[in-house]
Coordinates of all heavy atoms in Angstrom, one line a residue:
A1 N 0.7 -1.2 -0.1 CA 0.0 0.0 0.0 C 0.9 1.3 0.0 O 0.5 2.3 -0.7 CB -1.0 -0.1 1.2
N2 N 2.0 1.2 0.8 CA 2.8 2.4 0.8 C 3.5 2.6 -0.5 O 3.6 3.7 -1.0 CB 3.9 2.2 1.9 CG 4.6 3.5 2.3 OD1 4.0 4.5 2.2 ND2 5.9 3.4 2.5
N3 N 4.1 1.6 -1.1 CA 4.7 1.8 -2.4 C 3.7 2.1 -3.5 O 4.2 2.8 -4.4 CB 5.3 0.3 -2.9 CG 6.5 -0.1 -1.9 OD1 7.0 0.8 -1.3 ND2 6.9 -1.3 -1.9
M4 N 2.5 1.8 -3.4 CA 1.5 2.3 -4.4 C 0.9 3.6 -4.1 O 0.1 4.2 -4.8 CB 0.2 1.3 -4.4 CG 0.7 -0.1 -4.8 SD -0.6 -1.3 -4.6 CE -1.9 -0.7 -5.7
G5 N 1.3 4.2 -3.0 CA 0.8 5.5 -2.7 C -0.5 5.7 -2.0 O -1.2 6.7 -2.0
L6 N -1.0 4.5 -1.6 CA -2.3 4.5 -0.9 C -2.3 5.0 0.6 O -3.4 5.4 1.0 CB -2.9 3.1 -1.0 CG -3.1 2.5 -2.4 CD1 -3.5 1.0 -2.2 CD2 -4.1 3.3 -3.2
V7 N -1.1 5.0 1.2 CA -1.0 5.4 2.5 C 0.2 6.3 2.7 O 1.1 6.3 1.7 CB -0.8 4.3 3.5 CG1 -2.1 3.4 3.5 CG2 0.4 3.5 3.3
H8 N 0.2 7.1 3.6 CA 1.4 8.2 3.8 C 2.5 7.5 4.7 O 3.6 7.9 4.6 CB 0.8 9.4 4.5 CG 0.0 10.2 3.6 ND1 0.5 10.9 2.5 CD2 -1.2 10.4 3.5 CE1 -0.5 11.5 1.9 NE2 -1.6 11.2 2.6
E9 N 2.1 6.5 5.6 CA 3.0 6.0 6.5 C 2.6 4.6 6.9 O 1.4 4.3 7.0 CB 3.1 6.8 7.7 CG 4.2 6.5 8.7 CD 4.4 7.6 9.8 OE1 3.6 8.6 9.8 OE2 5.2 7.3 10.7
V10 N 3.5 3.7 7.1 CA 3.4 2.3 7.6 C 4.1 2.2 9.0 O 5.2 2.6 9.0 CB 3.8 1.3 6.6 CG1 3.7 -0.1 7.2 CG2 3.2 1.4 5.2
A11 N 3.4 1.7 9.9 CA 4.0 1.6 11.2 C 3.9 0.2 11.7 O 3.0 -0.6 11.5 CB 3.1 2.5 12.2
P12 N 5.0 -0.2 12.4 CA 5.0 -1.6 13.0 C 3.9 -1.7 14.0 O 3.5 -0.7 14.6 CB 6.4 -1.7 13.6 CG 7.2 -0.6 13.0 CD 6.2 0.5 12.6
P13 N 3.3 -2.9 14.2 CA 2.2 -3.0 15.2 C 2.5 -2.4 16.5 O 1.6 -1.7 17.1 CB 2.1 -4.5 15.3 CG 2.5 -5.1 14.0 CD 3.6 -4.2 13.6
M14 N 3.7 -2.5 17.1 CA 4.0 -2.0 18.4 C 4.0 -0.4 18.4 O 3.9 0.2 19.5 CB 5.4 -2.5 19.0 CG 5.3 -4.1 19.0 SD 4.1 -4.5 20.4 CE 4.8 -3.9 21.8
Q15 N 4.1 0.2 17.1 CA 4.2 1.6 17.1 C 3.0 2.2 16.5 O 3.0 3.4 16.2 CB 5.5 2.0 16.3 CG 6.8 1.7 16.9 CD 8.0 2.0 16.0 OE1 7.8 2.7 15.1 NE2 9.1 1.6 16.5
L16 N 2.0 1.5 16.3 CA 0.8 2.0 15.6 C 0.0 2.9 16.4 O -0.3 4.0 15.7 CB -0.2 0.7 15.4 CG -1.4 1.1 14.5 CD1 -1.0 1.6 13.1 CD2 -2.2 -0.2 14.3
E17 N -0.1 2.9 17.7 CA -0.9 3.8 18.4 C -0.1 5.2 18.4 O -0.7 6.2 18.2 CB -1.1 3.3 19.8 CG -2.0 4.3 20.6 CD -2.4 3.7 21.9 OE1 -2.6 2.4 22.0 OE2 -2.6 4.4 22.8
R18 N 1.2 5.2 18.6 CA 2.0 6.4 18.6 C 1.9 7.0 17.3 O 1.9 8.3 17.1 CB 3.4 6.1 19.1 CG 4.3 7.4 19.1 CD 3.7 8.4 20.1 NE 4.4 9.6 19.9 CZ 3.8 10.9 19.7 NH1 2.5 10.9 20.0 NH2 4.5 11.9 19.5
T19 N 2.0 6.3 16.2 CA 2.1 6.8 14.8 C 0.7 7.4 14.6 O 0.7 8.6 14.1 CB 2.3 5.7 13.8 OG1 3.6 5.1 14.2 CG2 2.3 6.3 12.4
A20 N -0.4 6.9 15.1 CA -1.7 7.4 14.9 C -1.8 8.7 15.6 O -2.4 9.7 15.2 CB -2.8 6.3 15.3
E21 N -1.4 8.7 16.9 CA -1.4 9.9 17.7 C -0.7 11.1 17.1 O -1.2 12.2 17.1 CB -0.8 9.7 19.0 CG -1.7 8.8 20.0 CD -0.9 8.3 21.2 OE1 0.3 8.7 21.4 OE2 -1.6 7.7 22.1
K22 N 0.5 10.9 16.4 CA 1.2 12.0 15.7 C 0.4 12.4 14.5 O 0.3 13.7 14.3 CB 2.6 11.4 15.2 CG 3.5 11.1 16.2 CD 4.9 10.7 15.8 CE 5.1 10.4 14.3 NZ 6.3 9.8 13.9
T23 N -0.2 11.5 13.8 CA -1.1 12.0 12.7 C -2.3 12.8 13.2 O -2.6 13.9 12.6 CB -1.6 10.8 11.9 OG1 -0.4 10.1 11.5 CG2 -2.4 11.2 10.7
I24 N -2.9 12.4 14.2 CA -4.0 13.1 14.7 C -3.7 14.4 15.3 O -4.3 15.5 15.0 CB -4.7 12.3 15.8 CG1 -5.5 11.0 15.3 CG2 -5.8 13.1 16.6 CD1 -5.8 10.0 16.3
E25 N -2.5 14.5 16.0 CA -2.0 15.9 16.4 C -1.7 16.8 15.3 O -2.0 18.0 15.4 CB -0.7 15.7 17.3 CG -0.4 17.0 18.0 CD 0.7 16.8 19.0 OE1 0.7 15.8 19.7 OE2 1.5 17.7 18.9
A26 N -1.3 16.3 14.1 CA -0.9 17.1 13.1 C -2.3 17.7 12.5 O -2.3 18.8 12.1 CB -0.3 16.2 11.9
F27 N -3.3 16.9 12.3 CA -4.6 17.4 12.0 C -5.1 18.4 12.9 O -5.7 19.5 12.5 CB -5.6 16.2 11.8 CG -5.5 15.5 10.4 CD1 -5.1 14.3 10.4 CD2 -5.9 16.2 9.3 CE1 -5.0 13.7 9.2 CE2 -5.7 15.6 8.1 CZ -5.3 14.3 8.0
L28 N -4.9 18.1 14.3 CA -5.4 19.1 15.2 C -4.8 20.4 15.2 O -5.3 21.5 15.5 CB -5.4 18.5 16.6 CG -6.3 17.3 16.9 CD1 -6.1 16.8 18.3 CD2 -7.7 17.8 16.8
R29 N -3.6 20.5 14.9 CA -2.7 21.6 14.6 C -3.0 22.4 13.4 O -2.7 23.6 13.3 CB -1.3 21.4 14.8 CG -0.8 20.9 16.2 CD 0.7 20.9 16.1 NE 1.2 20.4 17.5 CZ 1.5 21.2 18.5 NH1 1.3 22.5 18.3 NH2 1.8 20.9 19.7
S30 N -3.6 21.8 12.5 CA -4.0 22.3 11.2 C -5.1 23.3 11.4 O -6.0 23.1 12.2 CB -4.3 21.3 10.1 OG -3.2 20.5 9.9
G31 N -5.2 24.3 10.5 CA -6.5 25.2 10.6 C -7.8 24.4 10.5 O -7.9 23.7 9.4
P32 N -8.7 24.6 11.3 CA -9.9 23.8 11.4 C -10.8 24.1 10.1 O -11.4 23.2 9.4 CB -10.7 24.2 12.5 CG -10.0 25.4 13.1 CD -8.6 25.5 12.5
D33 N -10.8 25.4 9.6 CA -11.6 25.7 8.4 C -10.8 25.1 7.2 O -11.5 24.5 6.2 CB -11.6 27.2 8.3 CG -12.5 27.6 7.1 OD1 -13.6 27.0 7.0 OD2 -12.3 28.6 6.4
A34 N -9.6 25.1 7.1 CA -8.8 24.6 5.9 C -9.1 23.0 6.0 O -9.3 22.5 4.8 CB -7.3 25.0 6.1
V35 N -9.0 22.5 7.1 CA -9.2 20.9 7.1 C -10.6 20.5 6.6 O -10.7 19.7 5.8 CB -8.9 20.4 8.5 CG1 -9.3 18.9 8.6 CG2 -7.4 20.5 8.7
A36 N -11.6 21.3 7.1 CA -13.0 21.1 6.7 C -13.2 21.3 5.2 O -13.9 20.5 4.6 CB -13.9 21.9 7.5
Q37 N -12.7 22.3 4.7 CA -12.9 22.6 3.4 C -12.2 21.6 2.4 O -12.6 21.3 1.4 CB -12.4 24.1 2.9 CG -13.4 25.1 3.5 CD -13.0 26.5 3.0 OE1 -12.0 26.8 2.5 NE2 -13.9 27.5 3.4
T38 N -10.9 21.3 2.8 CA -10.2 20.2 2.1 C -10.9 18.9 2.1 O -11.0 18.2 1.1 CB -8.7 20.0 2.7 OG1 -8.0 21.3 2.7 CG2 -8.0 19.0 2.1
K39 N -11.4 18.5 3.2 CA -12.2 17.3 3.3 C -13.4 17.3 2.4 O -13.7 16.3 1.6 CB -12.7 17.0 4.8 CG -13.4 15.6 5.0 CD -13.8 15.4 6.4 CE -14.7 14.2 6.5 NZ -15.1 14.0 7.9
A40 N -14.2 18.5 2.5 CA -15.3 18.6 1.6 C -14.9 18.5 0.0 O -15.6 17.8 -0.6 CB -16.0 19.9 1.8
K41 N -13.8 19.2 -0.2 CA -13.4 19.1 -1.6 C -12.9 17.8 -2.1 O -13.2 17.3 -3.2 CB -12.3 20.2 -1.8 CG -11.9 20.5 -3.3 CD -12.9 20.8 -4.2 CE -13.5 22.2 -4.0 NZ -14.5 22.5 -5.1
I42 N -12.2 17.0 -1.2 CA -11.8 15.7 -1.5 C -13.0 14.7 -1.8 O -13.1 14.0 -2.8 CB -10.9 15.0 -0.4 CG1 -9.6 15.7 -0.4 CG2 -10.7 13.5 -0.6 CD1 -8.7 15.4 0.8
L43 N -14.0 14.9 -0.9 CA -15.2 14.0 -1.1 C -16.0 14.5 -2.4 O -16.5 13.6 -3.2 CB -16.1 14.3 0.1 CG -15.7 13.6 1.4 CD1 -16.6 14.0 2.6 CD2 -15.5 12.1 1.3
E44 N -16.0 15.7 -2.7 CA -16.7 16.2 -3.9 C -15.9 15.7 -5.2 O -16.6 15.3 -6.2 CB -16.6 17.8 -3.9 CG -17.2 18.3 -5.1 CD -17.0 19.9 -5.2 OE1 -17.0 20.6 -4.1 OE2 -16.8 20.5 -6.2
L45 N -14.6 15.8 -5.2 CA -13.9 15.3 -6.3 C -13.6 13.8 -6.4 O -12.9 13.4 -7.4 CB -12.6 16.1 -6.4 CG -12.9 17.6 -6.6 CD1 -11.7 18.4 -6.5 CD2 -13.5 17.9 -7.9
A46 N -14.0 13.0 -5.4 CA -13.5 11.7 -5.4 C -13.7 10.8 -6.5 O -13.0 10.0 -7.0 CB -14.2 10.9 -4.2
E47 N -14.8 11.1 -7.2 CA -15.1 10.4 -8.5 C -15.2 11.3 -9.7 O -15.7 10.8 -10.7 CB -16.4 9.6 -8.2 CG -16.3 8.7 -7.1 CD -17.6 7.8 -7.0 OE1 -18.4 7.7 -7.9 OE2 -17.9 7.3 -5.9
A48 N -14.6 12.5 -9.6 CA -14.7 13.4 -10.7 C -13.4 13.4 -11.5 O -12.4 13.0 -10.9 CB -15.0 14.8 -10.3
S49 N -13.4 13.7 -12.8 CA -12.1 14.0 -13.5 C -11.8 15.4 -13.3 O -12.6 16.3 -13.1 CB -12.3 13.6 -15.0 OG -13.3 14.5 -15.4
I50 N -10.4 15.6 -13.2 CA -9.8 17.0 -12.9 C -9.7 17.6 -14.3 O -8.7 17.3 -14.9 CB -8.6 16.8 -12.1 CG1 -8.8 16.1 -10.8 CG2 -8.1 18.3 -11.8 CD1 -9.9 16.5 -9.8
D51 N -10.6 18.4 -14.7 CA -10.4 19.1 -15.9 C -9.7 20.5 -15.7 O -9.5 20.8 -14.5 CB -11.7 19.3 -16.7 CG -12.8 20.0 -15.9 OD1 -12.4 20.6 -14.8 OD2 -13.9 20.0 -16.3
E52 N -9.5 21.4 -16.7 CA -8.8 22.6 -16.5 C -9.7 23.6 -15.5 O -9.1 24.3 -14.7 CB -8.6 23.3 -17.8 CG -7.8 24.5 -17.7 CD -7.4 25.1 -19.1 OE1 -7.4 24.4 -20.1 OE2 -7.2 26.3 -19.2
A53 N -11.0 23.5 -15.7 CA -11.8 24.4 -14.8 C -11.7 24.0 -13.3 O -11.6 24.8 -12.5 CB -13.3 24.4 -15.3
T54 N -11.7 22.7 -13.1 CA -11.6 22.2 -11.7 C -10.2 22.6 -11.2 O -10.0 23.0 -10.1 CB -11.8 20.7 -11.8 OG1 -13.0 20.4 -12.3 CG2 -11.7 20.1 -10.3
A55 N -9.1 22.3 -12.1 CA -7.7 22.7 -11.5 C -7.8 24.3 -11.2 O -7.1 24.6 -10.3 CB -6.8 22.3 -12.7
E56 N -8.4 25.0 -12.0 CA -8.3 26.5 -11.8 C -9.1 26.8 -10.5 O -8.6 27.7 -9.7 CB -8.9 27.3 -13.0 CG -8.0 27.3 -14.2 CD -8.6 28.0 -15.3 OE1 -9.7 28.5 -15.2 OE2 -8.0 27.9 -16.4
D57 N -10.3 26.1 -10.3 CA -11.0 26.4 -9.0 C -10.1 25.9 -7.8 O -10.2 26.6 -6.7 CB -12.2 25.5 -9.1 CG -13.1 25.7 -7.8 OD1 -13.4 26.9 -7.5 OD2 -13.6 24.7 -7.3
L58 N -9.4 24.7 -8.0 CA -8.5 24.4 -6.9 C -7.5 25.3 -6.6 O -7.1 25.6 -5.4 CB -8.0 23.0 -7.1 CG -9.0 21.8 -7.2 CD1 -8.3 20.5 -7.7 CD2 -9.5 21.5 -5.7
A59 N -6.8 25.9 -7.5 CA -5.8 26.8 -7.4 C -6.4 28.0 -6.7 O -5.7 28.7 -5.9 CB -5.1 27.1 -8.8
R60 N -7.6 28.5 -7.1 CA -8.1 29.7 -6.5 C -8.5 29.6 -5.1 O -8.1 30.4 -4.2 CB -9.5 30.1 -7.2 CG -10.1 31.2 -6.8 CD -11.5 31.5 -7.3 NE -12.4 30.4 -7.3 CZ -13.0 30.0 -6.2 NH1 -12.9 30.6 -5.0 NH2 -13.8 28.9 -6.3
L61 N -9.0 28.4 -4.8 CA -9.3 28.0 -3.3 C -8.0 28.0 -2.5 O -8.0 28.5 -1.4 CB -10.0 26.7 -3.2 CG -11.5 26.7 -3.7 CD1 -12.0 25.3 -3.7 CD2 -12.4 27.6 -2.8
H62 N -7.1 27.3 -3.0 CA -5.8 27.2 -2.4 C -5.2 28.7 -2.1 O -4.8 29.0 -0.9 CB -4.7 26.4 -3.2 CG -3.4 26.3 -2.4 ND1 -3.2 25.5 -1.4 CD2 -2.2 26.8 -2.8 CE1 -1.9 25.6 -1.0 NE2 -1.3 26.4 -1.8
S63 N -5.2 29.6 -3.0 CA -4.7 30.9 -2.9 C -5.5 31.6 -1.8 O -4.9 32.3 -1.0 CB -4.8 31.6 -4.3 OG -4.5 32.9 -4.1
E64 N -6.8 31.4 -1.8 CA -7.7 32.1 -0.8 C -7.3 31.7 0.6 O -7.2 32.5 1.4 CB -9.2 31.9 -1.1 CG -9.7 32.6 -2.4 CD -11.1 32.2 -2.7 OE1 -11.8 31.3 -2.0 OE2 -11.6 32.7 -3.8
K65 N -7.1 30.4 0.7 CA -6.9 29.8 2.0 C -5.4 30.3 2.5 O -5.2 30.6 3.8 CB -6.9 28.3 2.0 CG -8.2 27.7 1.9 CD -9.3 28.2 2.8 CE -9.1 28.3 4.2 NZ -10.1 29.0 5.1
R66 N -4.5 30.4 1.5 CA -3.2 30.9 2.0 C -3.2 32.4 2.4 O -2.3 32.8 3.1 CB -2.2 30.8 0.9 CG -2.0 29.3 0.4 CD -1.1 28.5 1.0 NE 0.3 29.3 0.9 CZ 1.3 28.7 1.4 NH1 1.3 27.4 1.8 NH2 2.5 29.3 1.3
Q67 N -4.2 33.1 2.0 CA -4.2 34.5 2.3 C -5.2 34.8 3.5 O -5.5 35.9 3.9 CB -4.7 35.3 1.2 CG -3.7 35.2 0.0 CD -4.2 35.9 -1.3 OE1 -4.7 37.0 -1.2 NE2 -4.1 35.2 -2.4
S68 N -5.8 33.7 4.0 CA -6.9 33.9 5.2 C -6.2 34.3 6.5 O -5.0 34.1 6.7 CB -7.6 32.6 5.3 OG -6.8 31.6 5.9
A69 N -7.0 34.7 7.4 CA -6.6 34.9 8.7 C -6.1 33.7 9.4 O -5.3 33.7 10.2 CB -7.7 35.6 9.5
E70 N -6.8 32.6 9.2 CA -6.4 31.3 9.7 C -5.0 30.9 9.3 O -4.1 30.5 10.0 CB -7.3 30.2 9.2 CG -7.2 28.9 10.0 CD -8.1 27.9 9.4 OE1 -7.9 27.3 8.4 OE2 -9.1 27.7 10.2
A71 N -4.6 31.2 8.1 CA -3.2 30.9 7.5 C -2.3 31.8 8.2 O -1.1 31.4 8.5 CB -3.2 31.1 6.0
S72 N -2.6 33.1 8.3 CA -1.8 34.1 8.9 C -1.4 33.6 10.4 O -0.3 33.7 10.9 CB -2.3 35.5 9.0 OG -2.5 35.9 7.6
E73 N -2.4 33.2 11.1 CA -2.2 32.7 12.5 C -1.4 31.6 12.6 O -0.5 31.3 13.4 CB -3.6 32.4 13.2 CG -3.6 31.7 14.4 CD -2.7 32.3 15.6 OE1 -2.4 33.5 15.5 OE2 -2.6 31.6 16.6
G74 N -1.6 30.7 11.6 CA -0.7 29.3 11.6 C 0.7 29.7 11.3 O 1.6 29.2 11.9
L75 N 1.0 30.7 10.4 CA 2.3 31.0 10.1 C 3.0 31.7 11.3 O 4.1 31.5 11.6 CB 2.4 31.9 8.8 CG 3.8 32.3 8.4 CD1 4.7 31.2 8.0 CD2 3.7 33.2 7.1
A76 N 2.2 32.7 11.8 CA 2.7 33.4 13.0 C 3.1 32.4 14.2 O 4.1 32.6 14.8 CB 1.8 34.4 13.4
A77 N 2.3 31.5 14.3 CA 2.5 30.5 15.4 C 3.8 29.7 15.0 O 4.5 29.4 16.0 CB 1.2 29.5 15.5
F78 N 3.9 29.4 13.9 CA 5.1 28.6 13.5 C 6.4 29.5 13.7 O 7.3 28.9 14.3 CB 5.1 28.1 12.1 CG 6.2 27.5 11.5 CD1 6.4 26.1 11.8 CD2 7.2 28.1 10.7 CE1 7.6 25.5 11.3 CE2 8.3 27.6 10.2 CZ 8.4 26.3 10.5
I79 N 6.3 30.7 13.3 CA 7.5 31.6 13.4 C 7.8 31.8 14.9 O 8.9 31.9 15.3 CB 7.3 32.9 12.6 CG1 7.3 32.6 11.0 CG2 8.3 33.9 12.9 CD1 6.8 33.7 10.2
E80 N 6.8 32.0 15.5 CA 6.9 32.4 17.1 C 7.2 31.1 18.0 O 7.3 31.2 19.2 CB 5.7 33.2 17.5 CG 5.7 34.4 16.8 CD 4.3 35.2 17.0 OE1 3.5 34.7 17.9 OE2 4.0 36.2 16.4
K81 N 7.1 30.0 17.3 CA 7.3 28.6 18.0 C 6.3 28.5 19.1 O 6.6 28.2 20.3 CB 8.7 28.4 18.5 CG 9.8 28.6 17.4 CD 11.1 28.2 17.9 CE 12.2 28.4 17.0 NZ 12.1 27.9 15.7
R82 N 5.1 28.6 18.8 CA 3.9 28.5 19.7 C 2.8 27.8 19.0 O 2.8 27.6 17.9 CB 3.4 29.8 20.2 CG 2.8 30.8 19.2 CD 2.2 32.0 19.7 NE 1.8 32.9 18.7 CZ 0.8 32.8 17.8 NH1 0.0 31.8 18.0 NH2 0.5 33.7 17.0
N83 N 1.9 27.4 19.8 CA 0.7 26.7 19.2 C -0.2 27.7 18.6 O -0.3 28.9 19.1 CB -0.1 25.9 20.2 CG 0.5 24.7 20.8 OD1 1.3 24.0 20.0 ND2 0.4 24.4 22.0
P84 N -0.9 27.4 17.5 CA -1.9 28.3 16.9 C -3.1 28.3 17.9 O -3.4 27.5 18.7 CB -2.2 27.6 15.6 CG -2.0 26.2 15.8 CD -0.8 26.1 16.8
S85 N -3.8 29.5 17.7 CA -4.9 29.8 18.6 C -6.0 28.7 18.6 O -6.6 28.6 19.7 CB -5.6 31.1 18.2 OG -6.1 31.0 16.9
W86 N -6.2 27.9 17.7 CA -7.2 26.9 17.7 C -6.7 25.7 18.3 O -7.5 24.8 18.7 CB -7.7 26.6 16.2 CG -6.6 26.2 15.3 CD1 -6.1 24.9 15.3 CD2 -5.8 26.9 14.4 NE1 -5.0 24.9 14.4 CE2 -5.0 26.2 13.8 CE3 -6.0 28.2 14.0 CZ2 -4.1 26.6 12.9 CZ3 -5.1 28.6 13.0 CH2 -4.1 27.9 12.4
F87 N -5.5 25.5 18.7 CA -5.0 24.2 19.2 C -5.0 24.4 20.8 O -4.3 25.2 21.4 CB -3.6 24.0 18.7 CG -3.0 22.7 19.2 CD1 -3.3 21.4 18.6 CD2 -2.1 22.7 20.3 CE1 -2.9 20.3 19.1 CE2 -1.6 21.4 20.7 CZ -2.0 20.3 20.2
K88 N -5.7 23.5 21.3 CA -5.9 23.4 22.9 C -5.3 22.2 23.4 O -5.7 21.1 22.9 CB -7.3 23.6 23.3 CG -8.0 24.8 22.7 CD -7.5 26.1 23.1 CE -8.3 27.2 22.5 NZ -7.6 28.4 22.1
E89 N -4.3 22.3 24.1 CA -3.7 21.0 24.7 C -4.4 20.5 25.8 O -5.1 21.1 26.5 CB -2.1 21.3 25.1 CG -1.2 21.6 23.9 CD 0.1 21.7 24.3 OE1 0.6 20.6 25.0 OE2 0.8 22.7 24.0

């Protein structure tokens, strides 16, 4: 599955829980609006072909998210080596 690109990571059984925790934490640190919109777009396009209009729409959405307040907060948190405002430990 890993060689075919179906998964991002393969973990030995003894490390599975820790690997899953790292993945979950990465999602929790990500901007909640960006994650929700990405999930919705993936579900929308799951069975669609990507034509030029769709590619342009994806590029536009990506550009908008990169310029959002959420993206600014995420970048500021990274630079300042702190958690973003939406991440609660």
